[in-house]
Amino acid sequence: MVVVGGGFAGVGCIKRLAREDGVTVTLIDRHNYHQFQPLLYQVATSQLASSDIAFSLRKLFRNHENVDVKLGEVAEIDPSARSVTLAGGERFAGDALVVAAGSRPNFFRTPGAEEHALPLYSLDDATRLRSRILEVFEAADRDPALLDQGALTFVVVGGGPTGVELAGALADLIAETMTIEYHHLAVSAARIHLVDLGHTLLGPFSDSAHDYAAKILGRKGVRLHLGVAVSEIGPGHVSLADGATIRTRCVVWGGGIQAPAVAATGELPRGRGGRIEVQPDLTVAGAPGVYAIGDVANIPGPDGQAYPQLGSVALQSGAWAAENILADAAGKPRKAFHYRDKGIMAMIGRGAAIAEVGAHRHELHGAIAFSAWLGVHASLMTGVRNRIDAFVDWGWDYFTRARGPQVLDRPDAAAIHWDEDLVPEREPAATP
Ligand SMILES: Cc1cc2nc3c(=O)[nH]c(=O)nc-3n(C[C@H](O)[C@H](O)[C@H](O)COP(=O)(O)OP(=O)(O)OC[C@H]3O[C@@H](n4cnc5c(N)ncnc54)[C@H](O)[C@@H]3O)c2cc1C
């Protein structure tokens, strides 16, 4: 078997296949680690270290002789041969090909977004964002006049879980850590703006969760711009469709996802978000032996609607695809994917979380939801060592209110041209 991608879906699939005698698996990933995306925002806001949320793929499968890990970028899929070709030209083929290549950001053709906004979809993104956040504080500390250029103004695009969690954590970082560590800087001038085209935060959650998230973020000083589109992003500003211009040097993009480029190769059927359309048993129509799972796939639910791009869907679809591959090999029928919905949750900064538990969405807020969040995330993380490290970091943060790894290690993301006034000629109708 050949599996492209060692995220939740790919790992879920291989863990099941690896237990089977006579099965050999080649896992190909552009990274040598499995990353835990739900906690990227904590790396970006210096709560967790990068190593807490990344786990070596080789280590993960070191006790499975039948799993071979290859580091490489898959450039092309050939469904008819159930093979893939890497950017370097190497080719890998199998009896089954599983595409589990995840997502990439979707900037929805917003002018300037790809060039100037910082997405949050990979560990690389998280470390770049961390460096940018730290650099704007350092720059403002060297020269407080930069506050007029929006040095301490942060704009988060997207009111889904990624944007809400990041905005909450950033507000805590500023209020609890930066105010103490940057004694000579007017940290109270810092502003966080959250912009979303929709009229509510945390779309997939209930109405009371929408209100709870808005209340908590409001309390933390986050200014909400709901029902407003971002019309343009430049090196020193964000323009909104309502005419406002916000001066900023740090724009975070959590505005949406789409399928990665590799999904467009091999002429596989594609649908919403450029994702690969699969049949209920996770196979691709017209491509025998080819499966697509997790974020890269539009997996139809019982009502015909595609399941959302969630870690739990990815993990379960991976294990399910493995069962179907084994059934195929044994000459048994494949089964339609059945998703066990255990609920959804989001953390909106210190002690404030929302959990909607089970398919009936029993709603929890505050400390109970926070405890549930801790338990679920710790149990989903890969590796005992990572869990212990994360708990030490969380505990340290909770009791001392001092962040851990405030490491400015990405000069590429921290390089900012402060000498130019980068706000466009058009003066703002209103400057929030
Ligand atoms: C910031 C953020 C927060 C989130 N929070 C939550 C949450 O709280 N709860 C939840 O359930 N879900 C959450 N999600 C969604 C969840 O993380 C994803 O649904 C899940 O990671 C999808 O798993 P996957 O295996 O399909 O893809 P991924 O985890 O993205 O893995 C894809 C893998 O494929 C590799 N890859 C991609 N293209 C290639 C290529 N061409 N060649 C080689 N390798 C390649 C990548 O390196 C990666 O390792 C969050 C996502 C993000 C970005």
Side-chain angles (χ1 to χ4, degrees), residues 4-11 28-31 33-41 57 70-76 86 99-104 120-122 161-163 165 257 260-263 293-297 308-315 317 339 343-347 373 377 380:
V4 180
F8 285 109
V11 166
I28 307 164
D29 201 299
R30 62 161 72 101
H31 300 121
Y33 53 83
H34 164 82
Q35 59 191 358
F36 192 82
Q37 283 182 344
L39 292 176
L40 288 174
Y41 79 95
L57 288 168
K70 297 284 182 229
L71 181 65
E73 175 80 27
V74 172
E76 198 152 347
L86 305 197
V99 184
S103 299
R104 64 180 160 138
L120 187 58
Y121 294 97
S122 66
T162 300
E165 293 191 319
I257 50 174
V262 73
I293 51 176
D295 273 15
V296 77
Q309 273 53 53
L310 285 175
S312 45
V313 174
L315 202 59
S317 65
Y339 173 54
I344 46 178
M345 47 180 63
M347 171 78 97
W373 183 95
H377 283 74
L380 284 175

